[in-house]
Amino acid sequence: MTPDEWLEALRKGIAAVVATPPESLDRDAPSCPGWTARDLVAHLGGVHRWAVGVIVGQKVPYQDVDAEAPTGQAVLGWYSGYAEELVETLTSADLDAPTKSPFGERPVRFWYRRQANEVAVHRWDIEHAYRGWDTEPIDTALAADGIGEWSELFTPRRIGRDGGTPADLQGARVLLNANDGGGVWLLRADADSIGIVDDDATPDATVTASTSDLLLALWHRVPLSRLTVDGDAARVERVLDLVRI
């Protein structure tokens, strides 16, 4: 995806979050146990605030970034303000200007992608709190991009921090097959990451679903029981459990 496409996706996601029905803010979010829809809106606003600080070079501690978020319906306006600031900061910055990030130095364009994907998943979380399984899926192109981002950025960071992949899972292969044309990805668990690879090895299992549900399964939002798994489902569960955030 291009920065313009990420920006469009980000704006659509923000608009959907702002449109959360106020009466639904106190609904529990099943995909984020212990959180309500309001908590997720506050979290997103805090993440936007933190990202703006990183982009402009002002240190904003990540912990408790949403501590000042108001309760009740007011959280939606509070969120909207920080979301607008994020968009303004992104669009006024040089796409190739270097910035800090949790993954080392990255250009500003990195934040277009990261924030678009952050909002996409949490928008789904928020909607899922009051719409259940009728929640609007994540856009196919964005979900496909999110699968790549999950593999590239999050698996090495998480697995490396947690001591590496157990020996019996190293080399495990899981084929993700999007039934809506989003793509096909062969994941291989290595010592310190779960990479997308191009080889002819037979996978331990093939997981078939919409691109949105495949991404959400990687992020432990949608259980494998709602997807079609051909092969060793228990091994797939163990591979995906290597990355929990």
Side-chain angles (χ1 to χ4, degrees):
M1 294 180 69
T2 67
D4 284 345
E5 290 170 329
W6 285 319
L7 182 61
E8 180 183 3
L10 175 60
R11 284 175 164 150
K12 287 181 178 179
I14 288 170
V17 172
V18 173
T20 301
E23 65 272 16
S24 299
L25 288 168
D26 62 352
R27 298 288 293 271
D28 290 334
S31 54
C32 296
W35 285 23
T36 63
R38 176 266 167 202
D39 296 334
L40 284 158
V41 174
H43 169 73
L44 266 182
V47 169
H48 295 337
R49 172 174 174 251
W50 168 75
V52 167
V54 173
I55 294 166
V56 302
Q58 295 176 355
K59 187 174 182 179
V60 178
Y62 186 81
Q63 290 184 334
D64 301 323
V65 290
D66 59 357
E68 65 182 52
T71 58
Q73 182 176 349
V75 75
L76 295 172
W78 180 89
Y79 169 77
S80 181
Y82 281 119
E84 289 176 6
E85 185 178 357
L86 171 67
V87 171
E88 290 172 2
T89 300
L90 288 172
T91 55
S92 63
D94 180 348
L95 283 172
D96 296 316
T99 69
K100 293 182 178 180
S101 89
F103 309 94
E105 186 176 282
R106 302 276 174 162
V108 167
R109 69 179 65 239
F110 160 88
W111 290 103
Y112 279 70
R113 183 191 200 191
R114 178 79 289 277
Q115 291 296 285
N117 280 300
E118 180 85 3
V119 171
V121 172
H122 283 319
R123 186 279 304 165
W124 188 92
D125 290 327
I126 293 165
E127 232 177 88
H128 185 57
Y130 62 90
R131 292 189 62 185
W133 296 112
D134 290 330
T135 299
E136 186 73 20
I138 297 171
D139 173 78
T140 298
L142 184 61
D145 182 73
I147 291 171
E149 188 197 43
W150 176 86
S151 172
E152 295 162 21
L153 296 182
F154 289 96
T155 73
R157 183 168 183 256
R158 186 78 227 184
I159 294 174
R161 185 166 62 187
D162 290 349
T165 301
D168 68 316
L169 283 183
Q170 292 182 25
R173 287 170 170 80
V174 177
L175 184 69
L176 304 181
N177 177 37
N179 59 16
D180 56 3
V184 177
W185 302 265
L186 179 61
L187 304 179
R188 183 181 67 205
D190 294 319
D192 55 4
S193 69
I194 302 174
I196 296 174
V197 298
D198 182 12
D199 64 33
D200 297 325
T202 301
D204 296 278
T206 297
V207 183
T208 302
S210 68
T211 314
S212 176
D213 279 354
L214 291 174
L215 174 64
L216 291 166
L218 296 180
W219 284 112
H220 304 284
R221 266 58 178 184
V222 174
L224 285 180
S225 60
R226 292 188 63 90
L227 283 56
T228 299
V229 181
D230 296 314
D232 192 340
R235 193 162 172 82
V236 176
E237 288 276 15
R238 289 188 63 208
V239 169
L240 299 190
D241 277 345
L242 292 171
V243 184
R244 284 190 176 272
I245 298 174

